[in-house]
Amino acid sequence: MNEIKYALITGASRGIGCAIAKLLAKRGYAVIINYVTNAGAAQETFEEIVSAGGIAELLPFDVKDGKATLDAIALWKSRHEKEYISVLVNNAGIRKDNLLMWMPEEDWRNVISISLDGFFNVTRPLLKDMLVNKWGRIVNIVSLSGIKGMPGQTNYSAAKGGVIAATKALAQEVAKKRVTVNAVAPGFIKSDMTADLNEMELKKIVPVGRFGEPAEVAELVAFLVSDAAAYITGEVISINGGIYT
């Protein structure tokens, strides 16, 4: 197994993905920061990691575009011929909330494609190396919406629910090769994804009385990708302040 573990985090330019990238870099992983359009924020994340003594690189591609994903991964491999990506955090996702009866088809397809097709497009080409090297960690960032369903989020609930089911199935396929596959389901976390929500009102329904921080989600992910979590696989772990237990 490689001395340096490479970790690819999709949608890592900001929010939860950014927090995960920073923490994994601090823990000694060489992090690969994926983004699509927010080059400025991705560069800031990269510079912060490097200035703190970490190892990072940028790898822009759109996870919902299968060919673009394959090309980007092939490019990375051409630059790291003796290395492999042993840690994958499928974090990329968007919200386009609306009641289903008024939901544009484009919003349905985009939300599902980024989360569900993105999971497939990124995970499949990285699996072989994990299996050959007999070590790998895959963590899928899902949502409370994918567990219980949320009105106005039929598309988002469907997307994250699909990734949850895929997590459980894939975990069984690869467990014997020391590759674990888990999902982390955040509730209300302070980020761009929740910036349009009424935090003052919504935190009243959270038993701990506040929104979570991206760094708290990152700590859970860091544990799941560590050697200490080798016996945890196929699980969906909620981090939601007790809102749904």
Side-chain angles (χ1 to χ4, degrees):
M1 190 167 64
N2 297 337
E3 185 174 330
I4 297 177
K5 292 188 177 75
Y6 288 85
L8 170 60
I9 304 98
T10 66
S13 64
R14 53 190 177 178
I16 291 173
C18 175
I20 293 169
K22 290 177 182 178
L23 183 58
L24 292 188
K26 187 177 181 180
R27 299 282 172 88
Y29 296 85
V31 299
I32 305 162
I33 301 164
N34 163 256
Y35 67 96
V36 182
T37 58
N38 203 333
Q43 183 66 30
E44 288 179 11
T45 302
F46 168 81
E47 291 175 359
E48 185 171 340
I49 289 171
V50 173
S51 65
I55 302 172
E57 58 189 298
L58 300 172
L59 192 65
F61 63 89
D62 187 347
V63 299
K64 72 177 185 294
D65 185 328
K67 183 179 185 304
T69 301
L70 286 174
D71 289 346
I73 292 172
L75 177 63
W76 186 90
K77 289 183 177 181
S78 72
R79 296 171 176 169
H80 304 79
E81 293 183 0
K82 296 182 179 180
E83 309 292 345
Y84 81 104
I85 296 171
S86 60
V87 174
L88 168 62
V89 181
N90 285 305
N91 170 72
I94 61 169
R95 279 178 46 230
K96 291 287 185 180
D97 296 352
N98 209 335
L99 296 178
L100 183 65
M101 66 182 294
W102 293 316
M103 184 177 293
E105 182 178 346
E106 181 182 7
D107 288 355
W108 171 267
R109 297 196 180 280
N110 279 340
V111 168
I112 288 184
S113 186
I114 291 174
S115 288
L116 199 51
D117 292 343
F119 160 81
F120 174 81
N121 291 338
V122 183
T123 304
R124 186 179 63 154
L126 298 183
L127 263 181
K128 181 179 178 180
D129 285 339
M130 292 183 187
L131 297 174
V132 168
N133 286 277
K134 296 182 179 179
W135 199 95
R137 296 286 186 268
I138 299 170
V139 177
N140 302 314
I141 306 301
V142 291
S143 172
L144 171 65
S145 296
I147 297 174
K148 70 181 295 288
M150 295 287 283
Q153 290 190 337
T154 306
N155 50 359
Y156 193 64
S157 296
K160 296 304 186 180
V163 175
I164 287 171
T167 297
K168 295 179 178 182
L170 180 60
Q172 297 174 70
E173 295 179 7
V174 300
K176 290 183 178 179
K177 295 293 186 179
R178 298 173 63 212
V179 177
T180 66
V181 189
N182 291 289
V184 170
F188 295 118
I189 306 296
K190 292 182 180 179
S191 70
D192 291 346
M193 286 275 282
T194 58
D196 62 329
L197 301 180
N198 188 332
E199 182 176 346
M200 291 300 294
E201 286 300 315
L202 288 171
K203 72 181 184 180
K204 295 176 182 178
I205 66 173
V206 180
V208 302
R210 64 175 177 87
F211 276 23
E213 298 289 342
E216 294 175 304
V217 181
E219 288 284 355
L220 175 55
V221 173
F223 170 68
L224 288 174
V225 304
S226 72
D227 287 325
Y231 202 57
I232 301 172
T233 195
E235 293 300 318
V236 182
I237 303 176
S238 295
I239 177 166
N240 58 39
I243 194 173
Y244 183 70
T245 57

